[in-house]
Amino acid sequence: MGEPLTLWHQARLATLRPGTPWGLVEQGALLVEGDRLRWVGPEAELPAALRPRIERRIALGGALVTPGLIDCHTHLVYGGHRAQEFELRLKGASYDEIARAGGGIRATVSATRVATDGQLFNLAAERAAVLMSEGVTTLEIKSGYGLSAEHEARCLRVARRLGRELPLTVRCTSLAAHALPHEFTGRPDDYIEAACAWLPTLQAEGLVDAVDAFCDSIAFTPGQTRRMFEAARALGLPVKLHAEQLSNQHGAALAAQFGALSCDHLEHLDGDGVRAMAAAGSVAVLLPGAFYFLRETQLPPVAALREAGVPIAIATDHNPGSAPGLSLLLMLNMACTFFRLTPEEALRGATVHAAQALGLGATHGQLEAGRQADFVVWDLAAPNELAYWFGRNPCLRVVRAGVQTVGPET
Ligand code: NIG
Ligand code: FE
């Protein structure tokens, strides 16, 4: 017989399935069985065999429904903030200069190391709650503000705990190669060796889903990045890269050699990098919040990425230095205004392609039978409105793994 089913109906579904604009289904319905979507389509076509098993019906009055949003690049776990550096930048100091003078990421490392596990958890949980209130059901969290065996593990444990205790799917990424901690000043190769050596233990504790690095003039070289990726590959872990954010280090082409899930930022990506990413099937994760907050002027090569068929994702990059924002919807708007994505590309970027960037392409990011039942009901009529409004939260309900987590009682 199977489990009882819940029918969510009278909806306009933007399924994001391929083939038609937005994968739109008018007068649609979703049948949920446990944590999965059992059936998705026009209500009139609901299979007769399933009807007797429907135990609950929730009418949505014609509201728009999309897949749960996926924020595929965040640095959510950290202590302190860097509002004072924001002021310095407004007075003319650059992000690079502040980092080279010992501020930047290293300032947040100091604040993170002195915070307790409980403090780190509570701060990150509050941030996650803001994202969730706008429809986020899946979140990637990177380490990278611990930068020692002990503190990297602590930050990843906090990230895992968020996934256990909040109604969210959390993917944990090790970003030990984020900046050089002061203990290793002048010895970046030694630091990378140490960071590679932490990986097996972190993996054995189940704390790592992917390995990331920051390859740039103020961070690590392509050679050091390669070393980190080799360590990841030896453990069967997928890689990602903060690539070509501030300068072109040809990091994306390097990451592509390791079959990277994604390369992120990419303002300085060149044609060879685009082609390498296309050949490897890597997702281009664009981060308009960091572009905005650092007042960048170099645009990522969106037209070339499109032409080469590289999937484009959009994320908040939430972090205290370059992107302290907590609105994925605002990122959709900025992706359109700054990067000239279409509203549909922007929404695919926070659903289908974001899922792919996390290795969840088969189970998340679209409204389709068999996938996890993660969806959002919006106080909107048309899906292009998602990237249009800003500073307003039109989220009415969030359902994650079949359970409503935001919204009025059903
Ligand atoms: O994605 N680029 C490197 N890492 C972060 C910024 C980290 C920070 O400034 O604290 C980013 O922009
Ligand atoms: Fe980042």
Side-chain angles (χ1 to χ4, degrees), residues 73-75 142 175 178 212 242 245 264-265 287 317-319 322:
H73 180 142
T74 85
H75 309 248
K142 301 176 193 295
L175 177 56
H178 195 196
D212 196 347
H242 281 70
Q245 179 188 11
D264 304 37
H265 288 285
L287 303 166
D317 191 19
H318 177 85
N319 74 76
S322 69

Side-chain angles (χ1 to χ4, degrees), residues 46-72:
L46 192 65
L50 294 174
R51 287 174 193 264
R53 288 176 47 200
I54 297 174
E55 195 163 81
R56 292 173 71 211
R57 292 167 190 269
I58 298 145
L60 299 175
L64 175 72
V65 175
T66 68
L69 301 187
I70 299 175
D71 193 351
C72 67

Side-chain angles (χ1 to χ4, degrees), residues 116-406:
T116 65
D117 295 2
Q119 286 166 335
L120 290 175
F121 178 84
N122 290 338
L123 288 166
E126 280 170 26
R127 296 170 192 137
V130 179
L131 292 166
M132 286 157 58
S133 72
E134 267 194 8
V136 169
T137 51
T138 300
L139 189 61
E140 187 249 20
I141 302 177
K142 301 176 193 295
S143 66
Y145 292 118
L147 308 190
S148 71
E150 176 198 349
H151 293 288
E152 283 290 298
R154 233 159 52 81
C155 292
L156 289 167
R157 281 186 206 115
V158 167
R160 271 286 183 256
R161 185 179 156 204
L162 289 164
R164 278 196 308 274
E165 297 188 16
L166 303 181
L168 266 180
T169 301
V170 172
R171 300 296 275 180
C172 296
T173 300
S174 165
L175 177 56
H178 195 196
L180 192 63
H182 67 81
E183 316 80 275
F184 282 86
T185 300
R187 299 187 294 128
D189 291 325
D190 291 351
Y191 176 66
I192 290 293
E193 280 316 304
C196 290
W198 305 334
L199 268 183
T201 320
L202 295 173
Q203 187 192 32
E205 202 184 319
L207 296 175
V208 189
D209 300 314
V211 173
D212 196 347
F214 183 16
C215 181
D216 219 311
S217 51
I218 57 165
F220 295 99
T221 64
Q224 290 155 353
T225 303
R226 174 184 287 279
R227 184 67 202 90
M228 206 70 228
F229 284 176
E230 281 165 351
R233 182 156 67 189
L235 296 169
L237 289 167
V239 303
K240 310 167 80 68
L241 189 65
H242 281 70
E244 339 308 5
Q245 179 188 11
L246 307 168
S247 61
N248 184 3
Q249 305 285 322
H250 309 284
L254 169 66
Q257 288 174 28
F258 287 80
L261 283 174
S262 72
C263 299
D264 304 37
H265 288 285
L266 302 174
E267 280 84 344
H268 294 265
L269 182 68
D270 63 16
D272 287 345
V274 172
R275 283 184 285 280
M277 286 180 66
S282 304
V283 176
V285 179
L286 304 185
L287 303 166
F291 175 89
Y292 157 77
F293 198 63
L294 296 183
R295 305 188 67 189
E296 295 290 354
T297 50
Q298 173 78 34
L299 288 161
V302 169
L305 289 166
R306 250 189 217 126
E307 208 168 301
V310 176
I312 297 174
I314 302 297
T316 62
D317 191 19
H318 177 85
N319 74 76
S322 69
L326 283 166
S327 171
L328 189 52
L329 289 181
L330 180 58
M331 297 307 115
L332 300 191
N333 176 271
M334 286 186 177
C336 297
T337 51
F338 289 139
F339 299 162
R340 292 283 176 244
L341 262 65
T342 66
E344 184 178 352
E345 285 175 324
L347 183 58
R348 287 190 186 276
T351 52
V352 183
H353 297 153
Q356 202 177 325
L358 297 181
L360 298 173
T363 49
H364 292 64
Q366 297 178 48
L367 299 178
E368 184 186 37
R371 288 176 183 257
Q372 182 156 304
D374 291 355
F375 54 90
V376 188
V377 183
W378 303 97
D379 183 17
L380 300 171
N384 60 4
E385 289 182 75
L386 279 166
Y388 166 73
W389 304 104
F390 61 91
R392 159 191 178 202
N393 183 1
C395 174
L396 293 174
R397 298 173 188 265
V398 179
V399 175
R400 191 260 166 179
V403 177
Q404 182 174 297
T405 56
V406 172

